[in-house]
Amino acid sequence: KRLGKLRRGLDPPKLMGDFRIDLYGAHVDWNHAVFPAFIDFTRQFVRFGPDSKDPSSKPVWFDMIRVVMHGRCAITIHDLDARFDAAVTPYSSSEHYVDIRADKLSLELSRL
């Protein structure tokens, strides 16, 4: 007769919240050439937590946030000025861009 131990780690914490975020005078510049650096930055989020003993593949950080966070978030941006550039390098002065201006932009996210 064999006896085995089944070890299970703690479930991830659940974060509950009801947030309202108001931003005034936001200026955003985005160039898709910056995206690889953004991906490298987000890969480092796993370093903030302890290593897991689970051998299965790890979910990406935004899937983990989806599992952990519950609640509502309302984001309102007043006086938005944004430019989305289509150049292949962040250093070019290309004329291929889209300007977006809005007096009030609202986004509501809910996960209950």
Side-chain angles (χ1 to χ4, degrees), residues 40-81:
D40 285 343
F41 172 74
T42 58
R43 286 183 182 154
Q44 302 308 314
F45 285 139
V46 295
R47 292 183 177 204
F48 292 115
D51 289 338
S52 173
K53 304 294 182 203
D54 186 1
S56 61
S57 64
K58 309 243 182 303
V60 252
W61 67 272
F62 46 83
D63 282 340
M64 193 51 140
I65 288 176
R66 184 179 52 84
V67 169
V68 170
M69 293 188 73
H70 299 276
R72 280 173 278 203
C73 180
I75 302 171
T76 304
I77 303 174
H78 303 273
D79 192 22
L80 171 68
D81 182 19

Side-chain angles (χ1 to χ4, degrees), residues 21 31 81 91:
I21 300 170
N31 183 312
D81 182 19
Y91 305 109

Side-chain angles (χ1 to χ4, degrees), residues 25-28 77-82 100-105:
H27 180 79
V28 178
I77 303 174
H78 303 273
D79 192 22
L80 171 68
D81 182 19
I100 297 176
R101 290 185 178 85
D103 292 332
K104 183 177 180 181
L105 179 69

